[in-house]
Amino acid sequence: MVSKKKKHQVNFLDLDEETSEEVLEFVGRKADYYEKKWKRTSRWNSLFSWNWSPFFLGLFWFAFRKMNGYAYLLLGILAVADILSIIFLKQSMSRTNLAGIFVMIALTANGAYFDFVLKKVKRLKNLHPDREERLAVLRNQGGISWLHTMIFTLAIIIYSFSIIFIEEKVYYAYAVPKFSEAVELQQSGELDEAIEIYDDIENRNVPIPAIYYNKALIYGSKKEYKLALKNIEIYLKLVPEDEPGLELKEELLKAK
């Protein structure tokens, strides 16, 4: 992808020989890989290039490459997005949204890493005028870090459990009274209204099995057997070997 070069944007091929050598010295592991990527994007004046590592590793890649500011900033953005999603949609972000985020990270990671490394190199040039001393510092401060990755993994675990806790609290506070309302509507024969509420309170992350059982009953009574079987199958995945669920499935298959 070709894009117009931004004002003040510095490409790898714009660097003098000494600076480019120091940039690669800072990168350390897989310096050849990043050199090829940065040269290619420089020639094409492109802001994007693909990197499989951040696509599969996500935010962990930033910590692995000692880009801790990026890692924790992005984690904070995800946390805010998750909390807003829970408040307004009563569930955290879907995996589809996360996949889209990881694609964007994979496309922009090489450029972000180049900017990060170049800033570090320029800063160290001012702090350490002697080149041999500077190269030693570059090797020490650059490269990869399993320690940073492990610390960030701990942060991700804390974040994940916190989001699960918040989601469950918010969701159940919203869903339980709604579920009771739907059951009353179902019992009084207002089936479409009950289905509408059941659909509204479904949550892929915190499933309530009874929602799917009740929907199977409703669709079965309406002779919409395809939808009834779909819901009883979901129910049985959540509650395997449940006798009432197995009996209802058998009845639906016979009626179909």
Side-chain angles (χ1 to χ4, degrees):
M1 181 180 291
V2 179
S3 59
K4 188 177 180 180
K5 184 176 177 180
K6 288 184 178 180
K7 190 178 181 181
H8 306 309
Q9 178 187 336
V10 178
N11 288 324
F12 184 79
L13 292 177
D14 296 332
L15 304 178
D16 58 73
E17 185 177 351
E18 180 181 276
T19 303
S20 62
E21 286 176 0
E22 291 180 6
V23 163
L24 296 175
E25 195 69 40
F26 186 95
V27 171
R29 180 176 174 180
K30 289 196 173 181
D32 290 345
Y33 170 84
Y34 288 101
E35 182 181 14
K36 289 177 184 176
K37 288 287 185 180
W38 292 336
K39 282 182 176 179
R40 186 177 303 164
T41 53
S42 295
R43 293 189 189 101
W44 287 86
N45 283 333
S46 175
L47 298 174
F48 306 105
S49 64
W50 187 261
N51 189 332
W52 283 107
S53 294
F55 178 73
F56 288 114
L57 297 176
L59 306 189
F60 294 99
W61 177 82
F62 291 98
F64 183 65
R65 279 285 163 187
K66 297 187 177 181
M67 300 170 71
N68 295 313
Y70 289 80
Y72 289 99
L73 174 63
L74 289 170
L75 180 59
I77 292 171
L78 283 178
V80 171
D82 258 335
I83 290 170
L84 290 175
S85 181
I86 290 169
I87 291 171
F88 293 106
L89 303 177
K90 304 302 181 287
Q91 57 185 348
S92 57
M93 288 191 300
S94 69
R95 291 180 181 178
T96 303
N97 291 335
L98 290 176
I101 291 170
F102 282 7
V103 167
M104 285 305 301
I105 288 174
L107 283 169
T108 58
N110 291 329
Y113 188 42
F114 174 72
D115 290 339
F116 169 78
V117 174
L118 185 58
K119 285 176 184 176
K120 288 284 188 181
V121 169
K122 287 182 175 180
R123 177 175 169 274
L124 291 173
K125 270 195 174 188
N126 294 327
L127 292 174
H128 303 279
D130 181 76
R131 191 158 194 256
E132 289 305 315
E133 178 187 341
R134 187 166 67 247
L135 287 172
V137 176
L138 284 166
R139 294 186 196 102
N140 181 56
Q141 293 193 12
I144 60 173
S145 174
W146 288 105
L147 178 60
H148 290 173
T149 308
M150 289 170 65
I151 293 171
F152 187 70
T153 300
L154 179 60
I156 287 286
I157 291 170
I158 294 171
Y159 158 75
S160 300
F161 278 106
S162 300
I163 285 296
I164 290 170
F165 176 79
I166 293 169
E167 183 174 12
E168 286 183 350
K169 289 292 183 183
V170 172
Y171 173 65
Y172 282 129
Y174 169 78
V176 170
K178 285 281 188 179
F179 178 81
S180 299
E181 181 185 348
V183 170
E184 289 178 8
L185 289 169
Q186 185 175 352
Q187 291 172 343
S188 63
E190 298 176 73
L191 303 183
D192 291 335
E193 291 81 357
I195 283 288
E196 188 176 339
I197 293 175
Y198 287 137
D199 287 342
D200 179 58
I201 63 175
E202 279 185 36
N203 186 312
R204 63 184 175 273
N205 301 321
V206 191
I208 297 177
I211 289 175
Y212 302 100
Y213 184 86
N214 290 354
K215 284 175 68 175
L217 285 173
I218 292 174
Y219 283 124
S221 67
K222 296 174 70 174
K223 299 185 185 205
E224 296 180 36
Y225 298 117
K226 186 175 180 180
L227 288 171
L229 285 166
K230 176 184 175 183
N231 279 279
I232 200 61
E233 288 288 359
I234 295 173
Y235 174 77
L236 288 171
K237 284 180 182 178
L238 297 170
V239 192
E241 306 304 322
D242 177 72
E243 284 298 328
L246 292 169
E247 289 174 7
L248 178 56
K249 181 181 178 181
E250 190 175 341
E251 290 174 12
L252 291 169
L253 286 170
K254 288 178 180 177
K256 183 183 176 184

